Amino acid sequence: MTDYSPFEQYGTTRTGRWLVTCDHATNFIPDEFETDLGLPHADISRHIAYDVGTFGVSLELARLLDSPAVIANFSRLIIDPNRGENDPTLVRKLYDGTIIPANRYADDAEVTRRIETYYRPYHDAYEALASKRKDTVVCALHSFTPQLNGAHKRPWQIGILSAADKRLTDPLIAALKASPALQKEAALLGEPLCIGDNEPYVGQFPDDAIEAHAIKQGRLNVLIELRSDLIETEATQKHWAALLAPILAQTLTDNDL
């Protein structure tokens, strides 16, 4: 793994105040692990291994906002960069009903090794970029599946997650709901525009990436969840980034943030 890095940085010389992050950008499994962690390849291609579509959206969104991006370069099945170091789901042995063979016998020493090899280098790079400006705004990109097994189809196109700090998220939700561009997009999809407020998930996890790099430092922040069927191709990833970028920028301006 001499040429391997557990993170990638883009646009580090850009002058915008945003920092676009993508914790679950890829399903890449480093060579040191058995092929696909012992899973069928079909499992590595689905949501348990990464957030479908978010890599492309993150890069384009950062470009449009003239801001840097930091991307985790390993599957969350190796170790989840959006969990605190003491979170019991940091290295999952079971995920959405699927046993992860290569993780089944991962002991404390192995978890510590993965923290030092993958997790901390990513978070160090994340914090270094966030610290470059006093007014950094963290925008974390994630995606969610349209429908869980045996459940109803999820109606949201976008979910906005927040916990204690709602300075940005509350006005952003209002702006997204009022956006003519998003209303038109929903109509083209044949759906009502549906913006989730802590949907399809609630808030954040203790010591997760947003808490570590934004909440504790008082940085403005938002975690955006996009429905994955909307961002499966390069074209749709760029399209949704183009829909979101002006709304994000205008929300800061309109609310003196």
Side-chain angles (χ1 to χ4, degrees):
M1 299 203 306
T2 55
D3 296 327
Y4 171 75
S5 172
F7 63 89
E8 300 289 346
Q9 300 176 93
Y10 299 85
T12 56
T13 61
R14 293 172 184 160
T15 58
R17 64 183 289 205
W18 295 87
L19 172 58
V20 178
T21 72
C22 198
D23 302 330
H24 301 149
T26 180
N27 59 357
F28 178 70
I29 308 296
D31 291 342
E32 67 163 306
F33 296 96
E34 62 180 292
T35 303
D36 290 344
L37 298 174
L39 289 167
H41 184 70
D43 280 332
I44 295 297
S45 300
R46 66 190 186 94
H47 75 280
I48 65 170
Y50 73 127
D51 281 355
V52 173
T54 54
F55 179 51
V57 177
S58 298
L59 294 192
E60 181 67 3
L61 186 61
R63 187 188 71 82
L64 293 171
L65 294 171
D66 191 31
S67 295
V70 61
I71 309 293
N73 193 24
F74 51 90
S75 170
R76 62 178 163 203
L77 293 180
I78 302 298
I79 190 166
D80 193 333
N82 193 35
R83 296 291 185 271
E85 289 192 11
N86 295 316
D87 192 300
T89 64
L90 184 64
V91 174
R92 288 181 180 263
K93 301 183 179 185
L94 178 71
Y95 198 167
D96 194 23
T98 298
I99 294 172
I100 317 302
N103 294 350
R104 192 170 186 178
Y105 301 108
D107 57 15
D108 289 346
E110 172 61 10
V111 172
T112 296
R113 188 190 70 81
R114 295 189 197 186
I115 288 173
E116 294 174 350
T117 305
Y118 300 98
Y119 181 100
R120 285 183 184 158
Y122 169 67
H123 281 282
D124 288 346
Y126 190 144
E127 184 58 31
L129 283 176
S131 299
K132 288 179 72 173
R133 301 179 57 129
K134 292 182 179 180
D135 62 349
T136 294
V137 184
V138 175
C139 178
L141 262 294
H142 292 259
S143 69
F144 61 94
T145 55
Q147 187 172 6
L148 296 177
N149 291 332
H152 295 292
K153 183 176 180 180
R154 288 164 159 171
W156 311 280
Q157 295 89 22
I158 303 172
I160 301 297
L161 306 194
S162 61
D165 184 359
K166 298 181 180 291
R167 291 174 295 165
L168 175 55
T169 55
D170 279 355
L172 178 60
I173 289 169
L176 293 168
K177 289 180 177 179
S179 167
L182 288 180
Q183 291 169 357
K184 179 180 178 181
E185 188 68 24
L188 290 173
L189 292 169
E191 305 170 0
L193 179 61
C194 191
I195 307 298
D197 183 353
N198 280 327
E199 297 284 359
Y201 312 111
V202 177
Q204 289 137 6
F205 297 94
D207 295 320
D208 66 6
I210 287 288
E211 181 168 326
H213 299 289
I215 300 292
K216 290 182 177 179
Q217 287 77 16
R219 295 176 181 131
L220 289 168
N221 64 89
V222 61
L223 191 156
I224 299 175
E225 291 269 0
L226 294 173
R227 206 175 71 206
S228 63
D229 63 314
L230 303 178
I231 53 170
E232 291 177 335
T233 68
E234 181 180 355
T236 55
Q237 290 157 18
K238 289 184 175 180
H239 177 66
W240 276 89
L243 289 171
L244 289 172
I247 301 173
L248 287 165
Q250 196 63 44
T251 298
L252 290 185
T253 300
D254 289 348
N255 294 276
D256 296 321
L257 293 171

